[in-house]
Amino acid sequence: MARPRSTSISRRSVVAGLALTAAPVALAGANQVRAQAQQTTPDQSLYERLGGVFAIAAVVDHFSDAVVKNAVVGQKSKNPQLREWHTKNLKRLPGLKFMRTLWVCDVSGGPFQFKATRPGTTPLGLEEAHRALRISPAEFDEVAAELGRTLDFAKVPKREKTEVLAAFASHKDEVTAGYVSRAKRG
């Protein structure tokens, strides 16, 4: 004998039905709130957009190795000071990579503070660290180009790449301060 089907609706089935009906509406509302929060959140610092200290250290590591091999500013440079540094002082490269990482973290708004080992006239003191290398403006530009190639290699987005290169370029006068004496010597 067939049992008659109940047409009554249980409380559990009503709640389940309402939950299933309301879920897409609730999710849509949550997505809208999340989108609004993202729009009103202030921009992240360059440090955060670069991926923090580990991502910056990886870029600095690649960049530093590329500079050593660069024909214009590295081991085969026509500048005797740069050539000597990149052949006879490579034991210092790990420390230089560390200092470069701190510098980038600092100038990009990160939580680490760079302090020059040889303080100069600016807060970052780059002129004294580079003076003896007698870096020309053209050599500086080649290092900047190497940095650009490294940022491309690391797939750094255009906005962040532009900001990093601008920060680097803003210190050109400090880094090339020693070139004047090289030019006068001939």
Side-chain angles (χ1 to χ4, degrees), residues 41-108:
T41 303
D43 274 345
Q44 292 180 314
S45 68
L46 177 58
Y47 171 84
E48 293 165 322
R49 289 182 283 125
L50 289 172
V53 67
F54 296 107
I56 291 169
V59 169
V60 167
D61 182 60
H62 184 276
F63 164 73
S64 298
D65 292 343
V67 169
V68 169
K69 303 272 187 244
N70 184 291
V72 175
V73 295
Q75 293 173 326
K76 297 186 189 231
S77 176
K78 292 179 182 176
N79 175 335
Q81 289 78 16
L82 286 175
R83 186 174 57 247
E84 181 178 338
W85 200 101
H86 289 110
T87 54
K88 296 182 180 176
N89 291 312
L90 288 181
K91 65 185 177 291
R92 296 184 65 204
L93 189 58
L96 180 59
K97 289 178 179 183
F98 174 75
M99 295 302 286
R100 284 176 174 165
T101 299
L102 285 178
W103 186 83
V104 174
C105 288
D106 193 352
V107 300
S108 65

Short mmCIF file of all heavy atoms in Angstrom, two decimals, residues 41-108:
data_model
loop_
_atom_site.label_atom_id
_atom_site.label_comp_id
_atom_site.label_asym_id
_atom_site.label_seq_id
_atom_site.Cartn_x
_atom_site.Cartn_y
_atom_site.Cartn_z
N THR A 41 40.75 51.82 0.90
CA THR A 41 42.01 51.56 1.57
C THR A 41 43.09 52.38 0.89
O THR A 41 43.20 52.37 -0.34
CB THR A 41 42.37 50.06 1.48
OG1 THR A 41 41.31 49.31 2.04
CG2 THR A 41 43.65 49.75 2.20
N PRO A 42 43.91 53.09 1.66
CA PRO A 42 44.98 53.87 1.03
C PRO A 42 45.94 52.95 0.28
O PRO A 42 46.08 51.78 0.61
CB PRO A 42 45.68 54.56 2.20
CG PRO A 42 45.11 53.99 3.43
CD PRO A 42 43.92 53.18 3.08
N ASP A 43 46.62 53.52 -0.72
CA ASP A 43 47.59 52.73 -1.49
C ASP A 43 48.62 52.11 -0.56
O ASP A 43 49.03 52.70 0.42
CB ASP A 43 48.33 53.63 -2.48
CG ASP A 43 47.59 53.78 -3.79
OD1 ASP A 43 46.67 53.00 -4.06
OD2 ASP A 43 47.97 54.69 -4.55
N GLN A 44 49.04 50.92 -0.94
CA GLN A 44 50.11 50.28 -0.20
C GLN A 44 51.42 51.01 -0.51
O GLN A 44 51.55 51.63 -1.56
CB GLN A 44 50.25 48.82 -0.64
CG GLN A 44 49.10 47.94 -0.25
CD GLN A 44 49.34 46.52 -0.75
OE1 GLN A 44 49.74 46.31 -1.88
NE2 GLN A 44 49.10 45.56 0.12
N SER A 45 52.38 50.90 0.37
CA SER A 45 53.69 51.50 0.12
C SER A 45 54.36 50.75 -1.03
O SER A 45 53.99 49.62 -1.36
CB SER A 45 54.56 51.42 1.37
OG SER A 45 54.91 50.07 1.64
N LEU A 46 55.35 51.38 -1.62
CA LEU A 46 56.12 50.72 -2.67
C LEU A 46 56.74 49.44 -2.12
O LEU A 46 56.76 48.41 -2.79
CB LEU A 46 57.20 51.67 -3.20
CG LEU A 46 58.14 51.10 -4.26
CD1 LEU A 46 57.37 50.60 -5.47
CD2 LEU A 46 59.17 52.15 -4.66
N TYR A 47 57.22 49.49 -0.91
CA TYR A 47 57.79 48.30 -0.24
C TYR A 47 56.79 47.13 -0.27
O TYR A 47 57.15 46.02 -0.66
CB TYR A 47 58.16 48.66 1.19
CG TYR A 47 58.57 47.49 2.05
CD1 TYR A 47 59.87 47.01 2.02
CD2 TYR A 47 57.65 46.86 2.89
CE1 TYR A 47 60.25 45.93 2.80
CE2 TYR A 47 58.03 45.79 3.68
CZ TYR A 47 59.33 45.33 3.63
OH TYR A 47 59.69 44.25 4.41
N GLU A 48 55.55 47.41 0.10
CA GLU A 48 54.52 46.36 0.12
C GLU A 48 54.21 45.88 -1.30
O GLU A 48 54.05 44.68 -1.54
CB GLU A 48 53.26 46.86 0.80
CG GLU A 48 53.44 47.12 2.28
CD GLU A 48 52.32 47.94 2.89
OE1 GLU A 48 51.81 48.89 2.23
OE2 GLU A 48 51.95 47.63 4.03
N ARG A 49 54.13 46.82 -2.24
CA ARG A 49 53.81 46.44 -3.62
C ARG A 49 54.94 45.67 -4.28
O ARG A 49 54.71 44.87 -5.18
CB ARG A 49 53.47 47.69 -4.44
CG ARG A 49 52.11 48.27 -4.04
CD ARG A 49 51.71 49.48 -4.87
NE ARG A 49 52.44 50.65 -4.40
CZ ARG A 49 53.20 51.43 -5.17
NH1 ARG A 49 53.31 51.20 -6.45
NH2 ARG A 49 53.83 52.47 -4.67
N LEU A 50 56.17 45.88 -3.81
CA LEU A 50 57.30 45.10 -4.35
C LEU A 50 57.33 43.69 -3.78
O LEU A 50 58.03 42.83 -4.29
CB LEU A 50 58.62 45.81 -4.05
CG LEU A 50 58.88 47.09 -4.84
CD1 LEU A 50 60.11 47.81 -4.32
CD2 LEU A 50 59.02 46.79 -6.33
N GLY A 51 56.61 43.46 -2.69
CA GLY A 51 56.55 42.12 -2.11
C GLY A 51 57.33 41.97 -0.82
O GLY A 51 57.51 40.87 -0.33
N GLY A 52 57.83 43.09 -0.28
CA GLY A 52 58.54 43.03 1.00
C GLY A 52 60.00 42.64 0.87
O GLY A 52 60.56 42.55 -0.23
N VAL A 53 60.60 42.42 2.01
CA VAL A 53 62.06 42.23 2.09
C VAL A 53 62.55 41.03 1.28
O VAL A 53 63.61 41.11 0.66
CB VAL A 53 62.54 42.16 3.56
CG1 VAL A 53 62.03 40.91 4.26
CG2 VAL A 53 64.05 42.24 3.65
N PHE A 54 61.83 39.94 1.26
CA PHE A 54 62.32 38.76 0.56
C PHE A 54 62.33 38.97 -0.95
O PHE A 54 63.29 38.58 -1.63
CB PHE A 54 61.51 37.52 0.96
CG PHE A 54 61.67 37.19 2.42
CD1 PHE A 54 60.64 37.43 3.31
CD2 PHE A 54 62.86 36.68 2.91
CE1 PHE A 54 60.79 37.15 4.66
CE2 PHE A 54 63.02 36.39 4.26
CZ PHE A 54 61.98 36.63 5.14
N ALA A 55 61.29 39.58 -1.48
CA ALA A 55 61.25 39.87 -2.92
C ALA A 55 62.31 40.90 -3.28
O ALA A 55 62.99 40.78 -4.30
CB ALA A 55 59.86 40.36 -3.31
N ILE A 56 62.47 41.92 -2.44
CA ILE A 56 63.49 42.94 -2.69
C ILE A 56 64.88 42.32 -2.65
O ILE A 56 65.73 42.59 -3.50
CB ILE A 56 63.34 44.10 -1.68
CG1 ILE A 56 62.06 44.89 -1.98
CG2 ILE A 56 64.57 45.01 -1.70
CD1 ILE A 56 61.66 45.89 -0.91
N ALA A 57 65.15 41.47 -1.67
CA ALA A 57 66.46 40.82 -1.56
C ALA A 57 66.75 39.97 -2.80
O ALA A 57 67.89 39.93 -3.27
CB ALA A 57 66.53 39.98 -0.29
N ALA A 58 65.75 39.30 -3.34
CA ALA A 58 65.95 38.48 -4.54
C ALA A 58 66.32 39.36 -5.74
O ALA A 58 67.21 39.01 -6.52
CB ALA A 58 64.69 37.67 -4.84
N VAL A 59 65.65 40.50 -5.87
CA VAL A 59 65.97 41.43 -6.96
C VAL A 59 67.37 42.00 -6.77
O VAL A 59 68.17 42.06 -7.72
CB VAL A 59 64.91 42.56 -7.05
CG1 VAL A 59 65.36 43.67 -7.98
CG2 VAL A 59 63.58 41.98 -7.52
N VAL A 60 67.71 42.40 -5.56
CA VAL A 60 69.05 42.94 -5.29
C VAL A 60 70.12 41.90 -5.58
O VAL A 60 71.18 42.22 -6.14
CB VAL A 60 69.15 43.47 -3.83
CG1 VAL A 60 70.59 43.74 -3.44
CG2 VAL A 60 68.29 44.72 -3.66
N ASP A 61 69.88 40.66 -5.22
CA ASP A 61 70.84 39.59 -5.47
C ASP A 61 71.10 39.45 -6.97
O ASP A 61 72.26 39.44 -7.41
CB ASP A 61 70.30 38.27 -4.89
CG ASP A 61 71.27 37.13 -5.06
OD1 ASP A 61 72.40 37.22 -4.53
OD2 ASP A 61 70.90 36.13 -5.71
N HIS A 62 70.05 39.38 -7.76
CA HIS A 62 70.18 39.26 -9.21
C HIS A 62 70.87 40.49 -9.79
O HIS A 62 71.79 40.37 -10.62
CB HIS A 62 68.79 39.05 -9.84
CG HIS A 62 68.84 38.82 -11.31
ND1 HIS A 62 68.90 39.85 -12.23
CD2 HIS A 62 68.85 37.68 -12.03
CE1 HIS A 62 68.93 39.35 -13.45
NE2 HIS A 62 68.90 38.03 -13.36
N PHE A 63 70.42 41.67 -9.39
CA PHE A 63 70.99 42.93 -9.87
C PHE A 63 72.48 43.02 -9.56
O PHE A 63 73.30 43.36 -10.43
CB PHE A 63 70.23 44.10 -9.23
CG PHE A 63 70.92 45.42 -9.33
CD1 PHE A 63 70.99 46.10 -10.54
CD2 PHE A 63 71.51 46.00 -8.21
CE1 PHE A 63 71.63 47.33 -10.63
CE2 PHE A 63 72.13 47.23 -8.29
CZ PHE A 63 72.20 47.90 -9.50
N SER A 64 72.87 42.71 -8.34
CA SER A 64 74.27 42.82 -7.93
C SER A 64 75.16 41.90 -8.75
O SER A 64 76.26 42.30 -9.16
CB SER A 64 74.41 42.52 -6.44
OG SER A 64 73.67 43.46 -5.68
N ASP A 65 74.70 40.68 -8.98
CA ASP A 65 75.47 39.74 -9.80
C ASP A 65 75.57 40.23 -11.25
O ASP A 65 76.62 40.08 -11.89
CB ASP A 65 74.85 38.35 -9.75
CG ASP A 65 74.98 37.69 -8.38
OD1 ASP A 65 75.82 38.15 -7.56
OD2 ASP A 65 74.23 36.73 -8.11
N ALA A 66 74.49 40.82 -11.75
CA ALA A 66 74.49 41.33 -13.13
C ALA A 66 75.45 42.51 -13.28
O ALA A 66 76.13 42.62 -14.31
CB ALA A 66 73.06 41.75 -13.54
N VAL A 67 75.54 43.37 -12.28
CA VAL A 67 76.46 44.52 -12.34
C VAL A 67 77.90 44.02 -12.41
O VAL A 67 78.71 44.55 -13.18
CB VAL A 67 76.24 45.48 -11.15
CG1 VAL A 67 77.35 46.52 -11.07
CG2 VAL A 67 74.88 46.17 -11.27
N VAL A 68 78.24 43.01 -11.64
CA VAL A 68 79.60 42.46 -11.66
C VAL A 68 79.97 42.00 -13.07
O VAL A 68 81.09 42.21 -13.53
CB VAL A 68 79.74 41.29 -10.65
CG1 VAL A 68 81.04 40.53 -10.84
CG2 VAL A 68 79.63 41.80 -9.22
N LYS A 69 79.02 41.40 -13.78
CA LYS A 69 79.28 40.86 -15.12
C LYS A 69 79.11 41.89 -16.23
O LYS A 69 79.49 41.64 -17.38
CB LYS A 69 78.33 39.68 -15.39
CG LYS A 69 78.42 38.57 -14.36
CD LYS A 69 79.47 37.58 -14.76
CE LYS A 69 79.46 36.38 -13.83
NZ LYS A 69 80.66 36.24 -13.08
N ASN A 70 78.55 43.05 -15.93
CA ASN A 70 78.27 44.07 -16.93
C ASN A 70 79.58 44.59 -17.54
O ASN A 70 80.50 44.98 -16.83
CB ASN A 70 77.48 45.22 -16.29
CG ASN A 70 77.06 46.26 -17.28
OD1 ASN A 70 77.89 47.00 -17.81
ND2 ASN A 70 75.77 46.34 -17.54
N ALA A 71 79.66 44.62 -18.87
CA ALA A 71 80.89 45.03 -19.56
C ALA A 71 81.26 46.49 -19.33
O ALA A 71 82.44 46.83 -19.33
CB ALA A 71 80.73 44.76 -21.05
N VAL A 72 80.29 47.34 -19.10
CA VAL A 72 80.58 48.77 -18.94
C VAL A 72 80.99 49.12 -17.52
O VAL A 72 81.91 49.92 -17.30
CB VAL A 72 79.34 49.61 -19.36
CG1 VAL A 72 79.57 51.10 -19.11
CG2 VAL A 72 79.00 49.36 -20.82
N VAL A 73 80.35 48.50 -16.53
CA VAL A 73 80.59 48.90 -15.14
C VAL A 73 81.13 47.77 -14.26
O VAL A 73 81.39 47.97 -13.08
CB VAL A 73 79.32 49.48 -14.49
CG1 VAL A 73 78.91 50.77 -15.17
CG2 VAL A 73 78.18 48.47 -14.50
N GLY A 74 81.31 46.60 -14.83
CA GLY A 74 81.72 45.44 -14.04
C GLY A 74 83.18 45.07 -14.19
O GLY A 74 84.06 45.94 -14.28
N GLN A 75 83.45 43.79 -14.27
CA GLN A 75 84.80 43.25 -14.26
C GLN A 75 85.65 43.68 -15.46
O GLN A 75 86.87 43.66 -15.38
CB GLN A 75 84.75 41.72 -14.18
CG GLN A 75 84.21 41.25 -12.86
CD GLN A 75 84.00 39.74 -12.82
OE1 GLN A 75 83.65 39.11 -13.81
NE2 GLN A 75 84.20 39.17 -11.64
N LYS A 76 85.02 44.08 -16.56
CA LYS A 76 85.77 44.51 -17.75
C LYS A 76 85.62 46.01 -18.02
O LYS A 76 85.89 46.48 -19.13
CB LYS A 76 85.33 43.69 -18.95
CG LYS A 76 85.64 42.21 -18.75
CD LYS A 76 85.35 41.40 -19.97
CE LYS A 76 85.49 39.95 -19.58
NZ LYS A 76 86.27 39.14 -20.32
N SER A 77 85.22 46.74 -17.00
CA SER A 77 85.00 48.18 -17.14
C SER A 77 86.28 48.91 -17.52
O SER A 77 87.37 48.52 -17.11
CB SER A 77 84.47 48.74 -15.82
OG SER A 77 84.32 50.14 -15.90
N LYS A 78 86.13 49.98 -18.30
CA LYS A 78 87.27 50.85 -18.60
C LYS A 78 87.63 51.71 -17.40
O LYS A 78 88.73 52.25 -17.34
CB LYS A 78 86.95 51.72 -19.82
CG LYS A 78 86.85 50.91 -21.10
CD LYS A 78 86.51 51.80 -22.29
CE LYS A 78 86.37 50.92 -23.52
NZ LYS A 78 85.95 51.71 -24.69
N ASN A 79 86.72 51.83 -16.45
CA ASN A 79 86.97 52.57 -15.22
C ASN A 79 87.81 51.66 -14.31
O ASN A 79 87.32 50.64 -13.83
CB ASN A 79 85.64 52.94 -14.56
CG ASN A 79 85.77 53.61 -13.21
OD1 ASN A 79 86.76 53.44 -12.50
ND2 ASN A 79 84.76 54.36 -12.83
N PRO A 80 89.07 52.01 -14.06
CA PRO A 80 89.93 51.11 -13.28
C PRO A 80 89.42 50.84 -11.85
O PRO A 80 89.62 49.74 -11.33
CB PRO A 80 91.28 51.81 -13.25
CG PRO A 80 91.07 53.17 -13.80
CD PRO A 80 89.75 53.21 -14.49
N GLN A 81 88.77 51.81 -11.24
CA GLN A 81 88.26 51.62 -9.89
C GLN A 81 87.11 50.61 -9.87
O GLN A 81 87.04 49.75 -8.99
CB GLN A 81 87.81 52.96 -9.28
CG GLN A 81 88.95 53.91 -8.94
CD GLN A 81 89.51 54.64 -10.17
OE1 GLN A 81 88.89 54.69 -11.24
NE2 GLN A 81 90.69 55.19 -10.03
N LEU A 82 86.20 50.73 -10.83
CA LEU A 82 85.10 49.76 -10.91
C LEU A 82 85.61 48.37 -11.25
O LEU A 82 85.18 47.38 -10.67
CB LEU A 82 84.06 50.21 -11.94
CG LEU A 82 83.17 51.38 -11.55
CD1 LEU A 82 82.27 51.80 -12.71
CD2 LEU A 82 82.33 51.03 -10.34
N ARG A 83 86.54 48.32 -12.21
CA ARG A 83 87.11 47.02 -12.61
C ARG A 83 87.78 46.34 -11.41
O ARG A 83 87.57 45.16 -11.15
CB ARG A 83 88.11 47.21 -13.76
CG ARG A 83 88.63 45.92 -14.34
CD ARG A 83 89.49 46.15 -15.59
NE ARG A 83 90.62 47.02 -15.31
CZ ARG A 83 90.77 48.25 -15.83
NH1 ARG A 83 89.87 48.74 -16.66
NH2 ARG A 83 91.82 48.99 -15.54
N GLU A 84 88.55 47.10 -10.64
CA GLU A 84 89.23 46.54 -9.47
C GLU A 84 88.21 46.06 -8.42
O GLU A 84 88.35 44.97 -7.87
CB GLU A 84 90.17 47.57 -8.84
CG GLU A 84 90.90 47.03 -7.64
CD GLU A 84 91.88 48.03 -7.03
OE1 GLU A 84 92.31 48.96 -7.74
OE2 GLU A 84 92.20 47.87 -5.85
N TRP A 85 87.19 46.89 -8.16
CA TRP A 85 86.20 46.49 -7.16
C TRP A 85 85.54 45.18 -7.56
O TRP A 85 85.37 44.29 -6.75
CB TRP A 85 85.14 47.58 -6.96
CG TRP A 85 84.43 47.40 -5.66
CD1 TRP A 85 84.66 48.10 -4.53
CD2 TRP A 85 83.43 46.42 -5.32
NE1 TRP A 85 83.87 47.63 -3.50
CE2 TRP A 85 83.10 46.59 -3.96
CE3 TRP A 85 82.79 45.42 -6.02
CZ2 TRP A 85 82.16 45.82 -3.30
CZ3 TRP A 85 81.85 44.63 -5.36
CH2 TRP A 85 81.54 44.83 -4.01
N HIS A 86 85.19 45.06 -8.82
CA HIS A 86 84.45 43.88 -9.29
C HIS A 86 85.33 42.66 -9.54
O HIS A 86 84.83 41.61 -9.92
CB HIS A 86 83.63 44.22 -10.54
CG HIS A 86 82.47 45.11 -10.23
ND1 HIS A 86 82.41 46.42 -10.62
CD2 HIS A 86 81.33 44.88 -9.53
CE1 HIS A 86 81.28 46.96 -10.19
NE2 HIS A 86 80.61 46.04 -9.53
N THR A 87 86.62 42.78 -9.35
CA THR A 87 87.50 41.61 -9.47
C THR A 87 88.20 41.29 -8.15
O THR A 87 88.30 40.13 -7.78
CB THR A 87 88.56 41.83 -10.57
OG1 THR A 87 89.28 43.03 -10.32
CG2 THR A 87 87.93 41.87 -11.94
N LYS A 88 88.64 42.31 -7.42
CA LYS A 88 89.43 42.07 -6.21
C LYS A 88 88.66 42.20 -4.89
O LYS A 88 89.18 41.84 -3.85
CB LYS A 88 90.63 43.01 -6.18
CG LYS A 88 91.58 42.77 -7.33
CD LYS A 88 92.78 43.68 -7.27
CE LYS A 88 93.70 43.38 -8.45
NZ LYS A 88 94.83 44.31 -8.48
N ASN A 89 87.46 42.73 -4.94
CA ASN A 89 86.70 42.96 -3.71
C ASN A 89 85.40 42.16 -3.64
O ASN A 89 84.51 42.50 -2.86
CB ASN A 89 86.39 44.45 -3.55
CG ASN A 89 87.63 45.25 -3.27
OD1 ASN A 89 88.43 44.89 -2.42
ND2 ASN A 89 87.81 46.34 -4.01
N LEU A 90 85.29 41.11 -4.40
CA LEU A 90 84.04 40.36 -4.44
C LEU A 90 83.70 39.69 -3.11
O LEU A 90 82.55 39.36 -2.85
CB LEU A 90 84.05 39.33 -5.56
CG LEU A 90 83.92 39.93 -6.96
CD1 LEU A 90 83.91 38.83 -8.01
CD2 LEU A 90 82.66 40.78 -7.08
N LYS A 91 84.69 39.54 -2.23
CA LYS A 91 84.39 38.99 -0.90
C LYS A 91 83.47 39.93 -0.12
O LYS A 91 82.80 39.51 0.82
CB LYS A 91 85.68 38.71 -0.13
CG LYS A 91 86.48 39.97 0.19
CD LYS A 91 87.82 39.64 0.85
CE LYS A 91 88.65 40.85 1.10
NZ LYS A 91 89.17 41.51 -0.09
N ARG A 92 83.41 41.17 -0.53
CA ARG A 92 82.53 42.15 0.11
C ARG A 92 81.12 42.17 -0.50
O ARG A 92 80.23 42.83 0.02
CB ARG A 92 83.15 43.56 -0.01
CG ARG A 92 84.47 43.67 0.76
CD ARG A 92 85.01 45.06 0.73
NE ARG A 92 84.10 45.95 1.45
CZ ARG A 92 84.01 47.26 1.24
NH1 ARG A 92 84.78 47.83 0.35
NH2 ARG A 92 83.16 47.99 1.91
N LEU A 93 80.92 41.44 -1.60
CA LEU A 93 79.64 41.49 -2.30
C LEU A 93 78.46 41.06 -1.43
O LEU A 93 77.41 41.71 -1.47
CB LEU A 93 79.69 40.67 -3.60
CG LEU A 93 78.49 40.81 -4.52
CD1 LEU A 93 78.27 42.28 -4.93
CD2 LEU A 93 78.67 39.95 -5.76
N PRO A 94 78.56 40.01 -0.61
CA PRO A 94 77.40 39.66 0.24
C PRO A 94 76.98 40.81 1.16
O PRO A 94 75.79 41.08 1.34
CB PRO A 94 77.88 38.45 1.03
CG PRO A 94 78.92 37.83 0.16
CD PRO A 94 79.62 39.00 -0.50
N GLY A 95 77.95 41.51 1.73
CA GLY A 95 77.63 42.66 2.58
C GLY A 95 77.01 43.79 1.78
O GLY A 95 76.08 44.46 2.25
N LEU A 96 77.52 44.00 0.57
CA LEU A 96 76.95 45.04 -0.29
C LEU A 96 75.51 44.70 -0.66
O LEU A 96 74.65 45.57 -0.66
CB LEU A 96 77.81 45.20 -1.55
CG LEU A 96 77.34 46.25 -2.55
CD1 LEU A 96 77.26 47.63 -1.91
CD2 LEU A 96 78.25 46.26 -3.76
N LYS A 97 75.24 43.43 -0.95
CA LYS A 97 73.87 43.02 -1.25
C LYS A 97 72.96 43.30 -0.06
O LYS A 97 71.83 43.77 -0.23
CB LYS A 97 73.82 41.53 -1.62
CG LYS A 97 74.42 41.21 -2.97
CD LYS A 97 74.39 39.71 -3.23
CE LYS A 97 74.97 39.36 -4.58
NZ LYS A 97 74.87 37.90 -4.86
N PHE A 98 73.46 43.01 1.13
CA PHE A 98 72.68 43.29 2.35
C PHE A 98 72.39 44.78 2.47
O PHE A 98 71.25 45.18 2.71
CB PHE A 98 73.46 42.78 3.58
CG PHE A 98 72.82 43.15 4.89
CD1 PHE A 98 71.69 42.48 5.34
CD2 PHE A 98 73.35 44.16 5.68
CE1 PHE A 98 71.09 42.83 6.54
CE2 PHE A 98 72.77 44.50 6.88
CZ PHE A 98 71.63 43.83 7.31
N MET A 99 73.42 45.61 2.29
CA MET A 99 73.24 47.07 2.40
C MET A 99 72.29 47.59 1.31
O MET A 99 71.45 48.45 1.57
CB MET A 99 74.58 47.78 2.34
CG MET A 99 75.51 47.46 3.50
SD MET A 99 74.81 47.87 5.11
CE MET A 99 74.95 49.65 5.09
N ARG A 100 72.42 47.07 0.10
CA ARG A 100 71.52 47.49 -0.98
C ARG A 100 70.09 47.10 -0.66
O ARG A 100 69.16 47.87 -0.94
CB ARG A 100 71.95 46.86 -2.31
CG ARG A 100 73.16 47.50 -2.93
CD ARG A 100 73.61 46.78 -4.18
NE ARG A 100 74.70 47.50 -4.84
CZ ARG A 100 75.48 46.96 -5.77
NH1 ARG A 100 75.27 45.70 -6.18
NH2 ARG A 100 76.44 47.67 -6.31
N THR A 101 69.90 45.92 -0.09
CA THR A 101 68.55 45.48 0.29
C THR A 101 67.98 46.42 1.35
O THR A 101 66.82 46.86 1.23
CB THR A 101 68.58 44.02 0.79
OG1 THR A 101 69.04 43.18 -0.26
CG2 THR A 101 67.19 43.57 1.23
N LEU A 102 68.76 46.76 2.36
CA LEU A 102 68.30 47.71 3.38
C LEU A 102 67.95 49.05 2.75
O LEU A 102 66.94 49.66 3.10
CB LEU A 102 69.37 47.93 4.45
CG LEU A 102 69.58 46.83 5.47
CD1 LEU A 102 70.71 47.19 6.41
CD2 LEU A 102 68.30 46.56 6.25
N TRP A 103 68.79 49.52 1.83
CA TRP A 103 68.57 50.81 1.19
C TRP A 103 67.24 50.81 0.44
O TRP A 103 66.44 51.72 0.59
CB TRP A 103 69.73 51.12 0.24
CG TRP A 103 69.67 52.50 -0.36
CD1 TRP A 103 70.10 53.66 0.21
CD2 TRP A 103 69.12 52.86 -1.63
NE1 TRP A 103 69.87 54.72 -0.64
CE2 TRP A 103 69.26 54.25 -1.77
CE3 TRP A 103 68.53 52.14 -2.65
CZ2 TRP A 103 68.83 54.94 -2.90
CZ3 TRP A 103 68.09 52.81 -3.79
CH2 TRP A 103 68.26 54.21 -3.90
N VAL A 104 67.00 49.76 -0.37
CA VAL A 104 65.75 49.70 -1.13
C VAL A 104 64.56 49.60 -0.18
O VAL A 104 63.54 50.26 -0.40
CB VAL A 104 65.76 48.53 -2.15
CG1 VAL A 104 64.41 48.40 -2.84
CG2 VAL A 104 66.86 48.74 -3.18
N CYS A 105 64.68 48.78 0.85
CA CYS A 105 63.59 48.68 1.82
C CYS A 105 63.29 50.03 2.44
O CYS A 105 62.12 50.42 2.60
CB CYS A 105 63.93 47.66 2.91
SG CYS A 105 63.88 45.95 2.35
N ASP A 106 64.31 50.78 2.79
CA ASP A 106 64.14 52.08 3.42
C ASP A 106 63.51 53.08 2.46
O ASP A 106 62.49 53.70 2.79
CB ASP A 106 65.50 52.60 3.90
CG ASP A 106 65.41 53.80 4.84
OD1 ASP A 106 64.31 54.36 5.03
OD2 ASP A 106 66.46 54.18 5.39
N VAL A 107 64.07 53.24 1.26
CA VAL A 107 63.54 54.25 0.34
C VAL A 107 62.16 53.90 -0.21
O VAL A 107 61.46 54.77 -0.71
CB VAL A 107 64.51 54.58 -0.82
CG1 VAL A 107 65.83 55.12 -0.30
CG2 VAL A 107 64.72 53.41 -1.74
N SER A 108 61.78 52.63 -0.10
CA SER A 108 60.46 52.22 -0.60
C SER A 108 59.39 52.22 0.48
O SER A 108 58.26 51.81 0.23
CB SER A 108 60.55 50.84 -1.26
OG SER A 108 60.88 49.85 -0.32
#
